[in-house]
Amino acid sequence: MIPIWLTTIPFGICVAQTTTFFIKQGVTLDRKIVHNFEIPPASIFALAAIGMIISITIYDKILVPVLRRATGNERGISILQRIGFGMIFSVSTMIVAALVERKRLNLVHKNPLKGSSTMSVFWLAPQFLIIGIGDGFTLVGLQEYFYDQVPDSMRSLGIAFYLSVIGAANFVSSLLITIVDHITEKNGKSWFGKDLNNSRLDYFYWLLAIMTAVNLCVYVIVARNYSYKNVHCKATISVADCNDTDDREAMA
């Protein structure tokens, strides 16, 4: 269980960017919807929730029935497979985020006075939607995993284990930023400048994409060697044992 917990932290690091650097990017972009109305930067995060709702709906209503017939698994696919699919979306999110940030920086270099204020904030929509879709797979999968697979005596702590992934990922994200800042500053110019226009967030996003992709390979190896706790089997055996005991008492 600990290897699974550790290999899901990089996904949490990607999720952590949605409430930090993604929002900071939104501050530098054009947030006007109509002439006199400008949306708050943090409101763009709602797209991640929309992506999660869409992915859960499609998964439960369309994919599960189809996959159930194909695999014979009541859930459609296993819990760890669901978590793994979400990790694929996290890699995609970082790639898209890097490309969008590169486009934003190109605008800044072409017109330093206006900067990226001519670029719509909805350029960030794809990365929020994709990570939201990934949340629908990985975060929901983690809840199921920690609830089902922890020992029965620790089942009440299942949600705490799931939340600990997000909490630990935020700490690791901060540590990673500090390390990258220190290393890149020594080698010339830090990737994290005084403002985003003097930073290289695109490089950082590419780094996260590579790290998450490598971690995904490790996760696949760990998941393939994982043995599930057969909850249903144990329950059936317990009921059978009780019935046998009752029969013996009745005969006595």
Side-chain angles (χ1 to χ4, degrees), residues 2-252:
I2 292 177
I4 296 294
W5 186 88
L6 289 173
T7 51
T8 54
I9 286 180
F11 174 85
I13 294 175
C14 295
V15 172
Q17 309 315 309
T18 61
T19 55
T20 53
F21 287 134
F22 284 12
I23 301 300
K24 283 190 173 183
Q25 286 176 277
V27 174
T28 67
L29 302 177
D30 179 18
R31 291 176 278 116
K32 289 182 180 178
I33 295 182
V34 292
H35 182 64
N36 292 320
F37 182 73
E38 191 174 69
I39 63 172
S43 63
I44 194 72
F45 182 76
L47 291 174
I50 293 172
M52 187 175 186
I53 292 170
I54 292 172
S55 69
I56 292 175
T57 303
I58 293 176
Y59 180 80
D60 286 342
K61 300 299 182 182
I62 299 175
L63 293 181
V64 168
V66 173
L67 293 171
R68 186 181 292 151
R69 289 193 294 269
T71 64
N73 189 320
E74 184 64 25
R75 286 190 170 97
I77 55 177
S78 68
I79 298 174
L80 294 182
Q81 285 174 333
R82 181 173 187 170
I83 294 172
F85 278 120
M87 290 183 179
I88 295 174
F89 284 104
S90 69
V91 177
S92 303
T93 299
M94 290 299 104
I95 293 174
V96 171
L99 295 174
V100 171
E101 176 62 9
R102 183 59 188 169
K103 177 179 175 59
R104 192 191 70 81
L105 289 175
N106 286 339
L107 287 176
V108 172
H109 295 153
K110 288 179 181 178
N111 192 339
L113 293 177
K114 288 187 176 181
S116 56
S117 60
T118 58
M119 182 177 175
S120 172
V121 72
F122 290 104
W123 274 92
L124 301 178
Q127 61 203 61
F128 276 103
L129 287 171
I130 295 171
I131 196 65
I133 293 171
D135 287 348
F137 283 91
T138 297
L139 293 186
V140 175
L142 283 172
Q143 291 184 47
E144 292 181 357
Y145 172 77
F146 284 117
Y147 183 78
D148 284 351
Q149 298 301 305
V150 295
D152 293 339
S153 60
M154 299 175 63
R155 184 161 290 179
S156 60
L157 297 176
I159 297 299
F161 286 129
Y162 146 71
L163 292 174
S164 70
V165 172
I166 305 301
N170 278 275
F171 280 111
V172 175
S173 176
S174 299
L175 178 62
L176 179 63
I177 291 170
T178 302
I179 293 172
V180 170
D181 179 46
H182 182 70
I183 293 174
T184 54
E185 191 174 24
K186 272 190 171 183
N187 293 332
K189 183 181 178 182
S190 173
W191 288 359
F192 309 103
K194 292 182 178 180
D195 58 69
L196 290 189
N197 293 341
N198 293 314
S199 302
R200 293 312 304 258
L201 278 186
D202 54 332
Y203 291 167
F204 181 63
Y205 290 154
W206 281 117
L207 175 64
L208 288 181
I210 294 170
M211 288 176 57
T212 309
V214 172
N215 174 76
L216 178 59
C217 297
V218 177
Y219 172 83
V220 170
I221 295 172
V222 173
R224 281 187 172 182
N225 292 287
Y226 181 81
S227 297
Y228 286 93
K229 184 182 76 170
N230 198 332
V231 179
H232 298 293
C233 181
K234 286 186 176 181
T236 303
I237 292 172
S238 298
V239 171
D241 290 343
C242 290
N243 290 336
D244 289 343
T245 303
D246 292 341
D247 290 342
R248 285 195 295 268
E249 289 177 353
M251 291 175 65

